[in-house]
Amino acid sequence: MFGLLSQFDLTDVWCWILFPAALAMAWGSYLWLLITGRNPLVLEDRSDVPWGLIDVVLLFASMMAAKMVGQVVGMVMIAQRLEVPVSGITAELAYQNGDLLMGANIVCSLLQLVLVLYWIRFWQNATWVDLGMTWRGLRRQVCIGLVASVLLIPPLLFLNMIIHWLLEVEYSHQVLILVQYAAGWTAVSTILVAPCLEEIHFRVFLQGWLERVRSIDLGKKLQLIYGDRHALSSSRSDGGRRLSMDSQPAGSESRGEKAAPVWPMFLSALVFAGMHWGQGAGPYTLFVFAIGLGYLYRQTHSVVACVIVHLVLNLWSFVALVSSLDLV
């Protein structure tokens, strides 16, 4: 017996012992909650979000533009540090000065996120509840995110290994190189910034808008495209759309409270996976991951829970990457 155990390395132990054990414990706990009538993911009706298709397109365009601006700013800063023209900076020099490159990208991404939240919050009169953010029940949202992480991530990583094994492709991403030169900045970008940025754009803005497209109502098609803007302000507010983070949306009855449909989480997951195309077998796994996050957002309407799950996955992936590169 001991001779057999000695043939297993840590990877074997993780794959064949810890994965199944963690998965069995997580799903066993969740099934127990279901049996005892304490399902934490009970779907509740909620009002439609006020933004339209044009807002979603502009927000995604601004996200891509922020990444491009971050790259340009980073290259300019590298050129100033090395005292060379921007045209003389090679990919190797850019990676070697990854602290400036990643730092500029982080600042531009965070600035874009703040600006788009301001845009949606005040131009379309969205409440924090519309944006999936509220202080009410914050502890419960965090707990749901942690439990969902245990439920989703172990099988997801196992699925990722199977897909890589079947397709025989290697993971490809610039973070594999940047982490060797700017581990700290790369960690901040991967573990903290990316989950917040992607969950707000894909779950809140994209899936949130898709959930209001329940039927083709010609009387409301302009609202679906342009958003509610001030058209419903009189019926929705008394100025009450600008509420505190602890408030429920005023006048939500005017927009109709209905259960969210299922299909938006699949479509938003497809877009999410497509945005990661070119990263080996990553898009296939991320599609499944995004469906899980989409379901979590549909049930809870909490971006906090989704960010936590995304953060935990990126944290695990980053630690595994750093360990494999012997950076610690």
Side-chain angles (χ1 to χ4, degrees):
M1 177 178 178
F2 291 103
L4 178 62
L5 292 177
S6 65
Q7 297 178 10
F8 285 84
D9 57 20
L10 291 178
T11 303
D12 294 324
V13 172
W14 173 249
C15 292
W16 302 110
I17 299 178
L18 297 183
F19 256 10
L23 188 59
M25 292 177 60
W27 282 100
S29 301
Y30 184 63
L31 290 175
W32 173 253
L33 291 176
L34 291 178
I35 294 174
T36 56
R38 293 178 291 174
N39 182 12
L41 300 180
V42 177
L43 177 64
E44 298 180 0
D45 292 348
R46 58 178 177 271
S47 57
D48 292 333
V49 297
W51 53 85
L53 176 60
I54 291 181
D55 296 302
V56 175
V57 173
L58 290 176
L59 296 176
F60 272 83
S62 67
M63 179 178 68
M64 302 304 297
K67 292 183 178 180
M68 294 179 61
V69 171
Q71 293 282 346
V72 173
V73 173
M75 296 292 283
V76 172
M77 295 173 64
I78 293 173
Q80 293 178 347
R81 170 188 281 182
L82 301 178
E83 298 181 350
V84 297
V86 175
S87 58
I89 300 177
T90 63
E92 183 178 358
L93 288 176
Y95 287 134
Q96 291 175 354
N97 294 271
D99 56 332
L100 295 180
L101 197 63
M102 295 301 295
N105 273 278
I106 290 172
V107 171
C108 289
S109 295
L110 291 178
L111 180 61
Q112 182 266 347
L113 183 59
V114 171
L115 290 177
V116 299
L117 288 175
Y118 179 85
W119 168 272
I120 291 296
R121 180 85 167 85
F122 294 103
W123 176 251
Q124 290 291 10
N125 292 329
T127 65
W128 290 114
V129 175
D130 291 328
L131 295 168
M133 307 176 192
T134 174
W135 292 120
R136 180 175 298 175
L138 181 61
R139 180 180 300 178
R140 179 175 179 271
Q141 297 174 50
V142 173
C143 291
I144 289 176
L146 293 175
V147 173
S149 298
V150 180
L151 290 171
L152 288 175
I153 294 176
L156 187 73
L157 295 177
F158 189 69
L159 174 64
N160 186 61
M161 290 190 301
I162 294 176
I163 293 177
H164 275 80
W165 176 68
L166 292 176
L167 299 181
E168 296 182 351
V169 294
E170 295 184 0
Y171 178 75
S172 175
H173 198 287
Q174 65 177 359
V175 71
L176 297 174
I177 303 176
L178 286 169
V179 71
Q180 302 179 52
Y181 299 100
W185 285 106
T186 306
V188 172
S189 176
T190 303
I191 300 172
L192 298 178
V193 178
C196 295
L197 193 70
E198 293 181 351
E199 291 310 305
I200 289 177
H201 281 80
F202 287 96
R203 245 57 66 186
V204 176
F205 293 148
L206 179 57
Q207 183 174 326
W209 176 78
L210 290 172
E211 287 178 352
R212 73 179 294 184
V213 189
R214 295 185 175 89
S215 61
I216 301 178
D217 187 344
L218 297 180
K220 294 184 177 181
K221 65 178 182 179
L222 292 181
Q223 292 178 10
L224 290 177
I225 297 174
Y226 295 101
D228 294 348
R229 296 188 185 278
H230 301 290
L232 301 180
S233 60
S234 59
S235 63
R236 288 162 61 192
S237 63
D238 301 328
R241 291 298 299 164
R242 300 182 182 182
L243 303 177
S244 67
M245 294 183 69
D246 288 325
S247 302
Q248 295 296 326
S252 59
E253 299 83 0
S254 62
R255 289 188 286 160
E257 295 189 354
K258 303 177 182 179
V262 174
W263 64 268
M265 68 185 191
F266 289 95
L267 184 55
S268 62
L270 185 62
V271 177
F272 179 78
M275 294 287 287
H276 293 81
W277 195 259
Q279 299 179 12
Y284 302 100
T285 308
L286 290 176
F287 175 70
V288 178
F289 179 57
I291 291 177
L293 290 175
Y295 175 76
L296 182 63
Y297 186 72
R298 174 182 180 268
Q299 297 296 112
T300 65
H301 195 59
S302 169
V303 72
V304 175
C306 296
V307 167
I308 288 177
V309 178
H310 202 148
L311 184 152
V312 172
L313 176 65
N314 284 14
L315 174 61
W316 171 263
S317 301
F318 186 82
V319 170
L321 172 62
V322 171
S323 300
S324 66
L325 296 176
D326 295 326
L327 297 180
V328 294

